[in-house]
Amino acid sequence: MGRHHEVRAAAMARTGKIKSALYARASKEAYMAAKQGSPDPKTNLALRAVYEKYRGKSVPRDVFDRAIKKAQGGDAVAYVEGRYEAFGPGNSLLIVDTLTDNPNRALVEVRTQIVRKGGHLGSVIYNFTQLGILAFKGTNRDEVEEALILGDVDVQEVELDEDTIYVYVAPDAFEKAKEVLAGLGITEFEEAEIRMEPNEYVTLSDEDKQKFQDLVDALDELEDVQNVAHNVEL
């Protein structure tokens, strides 16, 4: 069950608009985590998870600091989560997660971009599985897998890709997996989040792949969009 990983951080650096949307995503997640708990990531696991999620995506520390300060203030912003499923170019499938203070705007903007690129909304979630993803530098795949199994972690897969190890676990085993990895001295992650992963990947024609990439780029520019999961091998 090989899995292929796009370098989202590189895509986010393509335009100022995409970078701005990335900062907005990080800010909203940090705000929500700090609003519901301590402003200190050492004691607030949710806030620590936000830091880890965006660590490899070149988000400046002051983005988090401003969000935490805002959360400690008197004003409250009511962010609402949303999820939209869609069919894209070729045989592509997408799940678009949003976090917004205006759900109607989020729906209209997401649907507009999908339709413009030749897609349409529809149920596709049965083609995806929610998994915890932990990626870090290393080559000792067998040692990592053995430690996780002995630690009674619900491991789905451990994959070595050049000098990076990818660990896939059940969502409720995510924190336990991090504890086991910490016992191996692994505390810095390139990726550390729970997200939707496709059960199978598809390969598109060059024409459809370009249309699909244009669609993903357009969605990435929307500040209400938090994450885009898909089944396309890029």
Side-chain angles (χ1 to χ4, degrees):
M1 186 175 66
R3 295 182 182 276
H4 303 267
H5 314 276
E6 62 182 295
V7 184
R8 189 175 177 80
M12 286 298 183
R14 290 176 186 169
T15 68
K17 191 171 183 180
I18 289 179
K19 186 178 291 186
S20 174
L22 172 65
Y23 292 176
R25 293 184 184 108
S27 177
K28 283 187 285 187
E29 291 188 29
Y31 172 87
M32 290 186 68
K35 197 71 177 177
Q36 297 169 7
S38 165
D40 185 354
K42 293 181 181 179
T43 57
N44 186 334
L45 293 180
L47 185 57
R48 188 192 311 171
V50 175
Y51 275 90
E52 291 174 348
K53 177 179 177 179
Y54 289 97
R55 178 175 291 161
K57 300 179 183 179
S58 302
V59 177
R61 178 62 183 261
D62 65 321
V63 170
F64 301 107
D65 292 342
R66 288 196 301 270
I68 293 170
K69 185 176 181 180
K70 183 178 179 181
Q72 292 177 295
D75 295 336
V77 181
Y79 289 120
V80 179
E81 295 179 338
R83 170 165 286 176
Y84 305 98
E85 304 169 45
F87 295 87
N91 295 316
S92 63
L93 308 174
L94 303 99
I95 297 177
V96 183
D97 289 325
T98 60
L99 186 62
T100 178
D101 59 355
N102 189 329
N104 289 333
R105 179 188 65 215
L107 168 60
V108 170
E109 290 185 345
V110 169
R111 181 173 57 194
T112 296
Q113 293 303 330
I114 290 171
V115 172
R116 280 180 178 174
K117 305 303 180 183
H120 61 89
L121 298 181
S123 179
V124 303
I125 199 166
Y126 57 88
N127 291 286
F128 293 79
T129 301
Q130 188 177 48
L131 292 174
I133 316 294
L134 293 160
F136 47 91
K137 291 296 182 181
T139 57
N140 56 332
R141 177 203 172 280
D142 293 344
E143 179 185 354
V144 167
E145 184 175 44
E146 182 179 7
L148 291 167
I149 293 174
L150 292 176
D152 199 27
V153 175
D154 187 356
V155 182
Q156 304 296 309
E157 181 184 8
V158 180
E159 181 182 65
L160 175 62
D161 185 0
E162 295 183 350
D163 62 347
T164 301
I165 295 175
Y166 293 87
V167 173
Y168 298 86
V169 299
D172 57 3
F174 186 70
E175 292 299 328
K176 190 172 184 180
K178 287 200 293 186
E179 292 176 7
V180 171
L181 293 174
L184 296 176
I186 301 166
T187 57
E188 298 289 328
F189 299 98
E190 295 188 352
E191 294 183 61
E193 62 181 305
I194 296 174
R195 65 175 185 236
M196 303 301 293
E197 285 285 297
N199 298 329
E200 293 184 350
Y201 280 85
V202 298
T203 301
L204 302 183
S205 66
D206 290 343
E207 181 180 355
D208 282 339
K209 183 182 289 187
Q210 185 58 57
K211 291 179 182 178
F212 175 81
Q213 188 63 64
D214 290 344
L215 171 56
V216 171
D217 289 345
L219 291 170
D220 272 339
E221 291 182 1
L222 300 179
E223 291 195 4
D224 287 331
V225 171
Q226 287 299 112
N227 186 65
V228 179
H230 62 78
N231 70 332
V232 176
E233 183 174 349
L234 296 176

